[in-house]
Amino acid sequence: MGAKDWFCVECQVLIGKEAMDMYVLSILRNTTGVRSVHEDVKIEKLTTHTPDFLGLPAHIWPRLGGVEGAGEGVVIGFIDTGINPNHPSFMTSSSSGFLNSTKFKGKCDTGELFPSTACNGKIVGAQYFAHGAIANGEFNATRDVSSPYDADGHGRQLTNTIYTCSSHTASIAAGNHDIRVIVDGFDYGAASGMAPGARIAVYKALYTFGGYMSDVVAAVDQAVEDGVDILSLSAGPSSVPSGDSAFLDVLELQLLFATKAGVLVVQAAGNGGPSSSSVISFSPWITSVAASITDRKYNTTIVLGNGQSFTGTGLSPPTDGEIDYNIAAAADVCVRNATIITVDSCQNPEPFIRPLVYRRLIICTYTFEYEYEAASIATVADTMMEIGAAGFIITLDPNIGPEVVKGTMLTLQIPAVVLNDMQASSALWEYYNANTIRDKRGQAVAFAAKARILDGRQALYTGQAPVVASYSSRGPDVKNALMQTVDVLKPNVMAPGTSIWAAWSPDSEGDKYVKGQSFALISGTSMATPHIAGIAALIKQRHPKWGPDAITSAMMTTADRTGHSGAPILAESSNELIQATPFDFGAGSINVSQAMKPGLIFNVTFKHYVQFLCAVPGIDVKSVKKAVGVACPTKNKFKCSDLNLASVTISNLVGKRKVIRYVKNVSHKEKYTVHIKEPLGVNVTVVPESFRIKRRGSRRLRLVFEAIEATNAYTFGEMVLKGKKHIVRVPLAVYVGSASSS
């Protein structure tokens, strides 16, 4: 009998593993108490300035009891890679004491590097989940650590797979205030979480290899049972789940039940931008977060001997002293038989002639060998330090194109600059060639070109509006792997996600270029997500009776679509800045001060989400009942666009569509007037055009969308409800497939 064969006692035959799996599956599906069976698929892991950028110290924290009290009584759960309890971002302060909550019932698992004292009052819960990983043979107890301790750090790779580090995300959301960020001996400033007074519960389900769906689902289930208020999820699938609908995927359903239990679920939208429909957070009960670039810049300047200067990127120290250093191209200071591409990329120290490179600035070229930007640039730094160079300059290869280097924010110990501009790269090479003497064979014999690199570790603050990051995943949302769009706006809201300083685990095995550091500078929607989780904690503290729907509504209807100057927020596309749309940033960039007092909110209940599932084209009503335990209405006139969200999305408008919205007043009595900015090709009417609404009162709004011109593309508008003290904005996204015949 082969290793993969099984003997079926009931059948009295020898069968293969695949047939045996199907046989066991059929038994499980028919077992009492089993609602559904899903394949265990693999899951991928996806601040010194942002509190000020978002206005928290001046406008929010003082209203909530000051820094120590901001977020008090709220527990944020993190499904991630664990936590480093020894980091100063998570130490208990003398004034914080223990959690003032009767709802949270979490526990602390002890184990390797995680003693019982690790749960110190700031960290109030810590557990780890690895049964799925163990069953699939990927868990290594030595490498992955059998405890809630954070031994990973996949925080740098910007693919649509979400990678992160739990210590990093937890400190962004709820890390202690005024923690000095010191890396390689340089002080980058003081860090703080969005809600420094909130408490942290960690559910480790991701490891160096990623994770498995069964472990993530178990972690979510435990977090809900423990009583967390908010769940921050920087994890998601690498693609749209297979099956009839992404909304019936096991993780999406588990998050639906979390929402039903009153837990706000905040999830990274993904890092697949700027491609259309690249979001990997699908369901309307999840708050999906896009990432922005803030106004903080780290620029490194190189000054040439002829007085020219160019600005690039690179968090590096300056060259020693106020003197210029000779420049040498990598190809001119290597052995002759070395491969040109290998030499130019500076990935290997072996070909370099040590006496020729000593105390010189070496020009390297960004080549096709740079498969992973951060790792490749870090390898250049390692090479230069080993061969004794004074520093290095990375230029663009004209054969690759001008938009390759995105400016990875690595902290480097050697002077360096990345010239991510073709014009600057060309000018440097022109100066170098004009000042390099060569013999008849073209070999360099004298190096007269000189330069010095200035300190790149000093931050600049431009005051510009946030910009949608190129990597941030875009809408429209899809309902299945066929990429069919659906009447749901994704992402929901945008927060800072680019170049975020936050805590790191020095023992991290996931990224050797940050190993040993206590802080890391990382970009991704995984960094934007804990910003929203922390802000949601502040809203929850201010309005403890609000559910997930109310908090999401408040963040969306008050978000900014424009900058301080009134100009529209822009988005990075493949090679230019364009005006952002709701598919780039959802309702807009988070405005914390306004989200605390939204005026009106849009409520959604579990019953409404079930009606939504029943209305999704292609979903069998029996599948819905089996998945959620509730039958679809016999006569369901509900359309997906009728779900009472703080947005309206119509994925195929043909003729006319009536859409109903209900608003609830969470402020004092007020009169509102309705203003409409119509999407191109659509006529929109709203009844009533104005209304008075009492405190805690509700009003019904009837919107009629009429297609007047077939656009065969999504166009955007908004409904604005203007009161004396509040402005409520609702984004509109409509695809006109066919105009009215009249």
Side-chain angles (χ1 to χ4, degrees), residues 343-423:
V343 167
D344 285 344
S345 66
C346 301
Q347 297 290 289
N348 184 357
E350 294 302 322
F352 286 94
I353 302 171
R354 304 303 168 97
L356 294 182
V357 298
Y358 182 70
R359 301 288 288 172
R360 286 192 167 120
L361 296 175
I362 307 302
I363 303 177
C364 306
T365 303
Y366 194 100
T367 71
F368 286 108
E369 286 198 350
Y370 283 42
E371 293 181 17
Y372 175 20
E373 183 181 303
S376 299
I377 294 175
T379 301
V380 174
D382 291 343
T383 297
M384 294 300 116
M385 291 174 68
E386 183 173 337
I387 65 178
F392 64 91
I393 309 155
I394 293 181
T395 61
L396 294 181
D397 183 345
N399 296 320
I400 297 180
E403 298 296 332
V404 177
V405 187
K406 296 177 181 178
T408 295
M409 289 289 106
L410 280 171
T411 54
L412 302 168
Q413 298 182 49
I414 184 171
V417 60
V418 179
L419 296 178
N420 45 13
D421 175 85
M422 189 60 72
Q423 186 176 356

Side-chain angles (χ1 to χ4, degrees), residues 490-502:
K490 291 293 175 182
N492 294 98
V493 69
M494 181 173 73
T498 301
S499 301
I500 306 298
W501 281 113

Side-chain angles (χ1 to χ4, degrees), residues 616-645:
V616 175
I619 292 186
D620 178 53
V621 293
K622 292 181 180 179
S623 299
V624 175
K625 183 178 180 180
K626 193 171 185 179
V628 301
V630 179
C632 291
T634 305
K635 295 181 180 179
N636 189 23
K637 297 181 179 180
F638 192 94
K639 290 184 172 62
C640 291
S641 56
D642 287 328
L643 188 62
N644 201 46
L645 302 173

Side-chain angles (χ1 to χ4, degrees), residues 121-150:
K122 178 66 173 179
I123 302 171
V124 294
Q127 300 173 58
Y128 73 102
F129 303 82
H131 290 302
I134 292 170
N136 282 279
E138 288 212 54
F139 186 85
N140 182 315
T142 302
R143 176 195 65 195
D144 300 313
V145 183
S146 299
S147 81
Y149 185 79
D150 183 6

